[in-house]
Amino acid sequence: MIDDAVVITGMGAASALGTGLDAHRAALFEGRHGFRAVDRFDTRALTARLAATWPAWDGRVQPEPGRDRDLAATAAPFPLDELALVAAREAWANAGASGDRRRAALVLGTCFGHGFSEFSPVSERVAAGLEIEGACITIATACAASTNASGLASDLLMHGHADVVVAGGAHTLLRETFAGFSALGVLSAVPCAPFSEPAGTTLGEGA
């Protein structure tokens, strides 16, 4: 139980606004949204071109799928664990986490995993990157994944199953996701404005 314990939290982030909390804070104060034209795959046949992609992956291209290249292989230039680890390491450092790594856990939320096929393996790679030896749990409950991951992390702490938990979500933007939302007719051709105009969705990636 953690009723009488000192709870220390740390955050980490990577998104279209940049890498690290300082980059996100600066974007917030400057009013920058990070939306720009997608260049990692061809969008000419789709209803929109804008998305929020991580600048660290600029210049990488998603290959076309084929008989000898499944979706996980086409996602190779954009490994979900690479993105997740950037944010997780910042969170770990900001929390000043230490102690027995066997008593540390990871709860990772992801909508599509890596290439729509690797879910638990991504979490295992993130845990290994952090040298976490305790529970390693993957939550794949669509848009609620990272929220559910945070809730489960709280339960692990409250019931004494772990002393430290790294929790959050990560998602990469691939052609198939973009095309699916385009087919639904929900993408906005210009930067979306939640609760205002224009209506529609602008997709992004981050951790």
Side-chain angles (χ1 to χ4, degrees), residues 103-129:
R103 293 282 302 164
L106 171 77
V107 187
L108 178 66
T110 176
C111 192
F112 300 117
H114 174 79
F116 307 93
S117 60
E118 294 184 8
F119 291 83
S120 294
V122 170
S123 299
E124 292 165 4
R125 290 194 289 269
V126 173

Side-chain angles (χ1 to χ4, degrees), residues 114-195:
H114 174 79
F116 307 93
S117 60
E118 294 184 8
F119 291 83
S120 294
V122 170
S123 299
E124 292 165 4
R125 290 194 289 269
V126 173
L130 295 172
E131 298 180 353
I132 285 175
E133 300 177 22
C136 179
I137 302 171
T138 307
I139 305 293
T141 51
C143 296
S146 59
T147 302
N148 288 338
S150 298
L152 180 55
S154 177
D155 289 345
L156 291 175
L157 292 169
M158 290 180 64
H159 293 285
H161 298 304
D163 296 333
V164 177
V165 183
V166 177
H171 178 65
T172 55
L173 182 64
L174 300 177
R175 175 192 301 105
E176 291 72 23
T177 305
F178 200 86
F181 278 85
S182 175
L184 291 172
V186 298
L187 294 183
S188 177
V190 295
C192 68
F195 311 111

Side-chain angles (χ1 to χ4, degrees), residues 14 31 36 41 53 80 88 100 104 106 114 127 137 141 168 183:
R36 54 199 174 126
F41 49 78
T53 54
L80 183 60
D100 187 350
L106 171 77
H114 174 79
I137 302 171
T141 51

Side-chain angles (χ1 to χ4, degrees), residues 8-13 21 87-97:
I8 301 174
T9 60
M11 294 178 62
L21 297 181
R89 283 177 171 142
E90 183 183 24
W92 184 277
N94 285 340

Side-chain angles (χ1 to χ4, degrees), residues 33-38 41 43 47-53 173 178 187-192 201-204:
H33 52 60
F35 300 154
R36 54 199 174 126
V38 177
F41 49 78
T43 60
T47 58
R49 294 194 63 202
L50 288 180
T53 54
L173 182 64
F178 200 86
L187 294 183
S188 177
V190 295
C192 68
T201 297
T202 305
L203 298 179

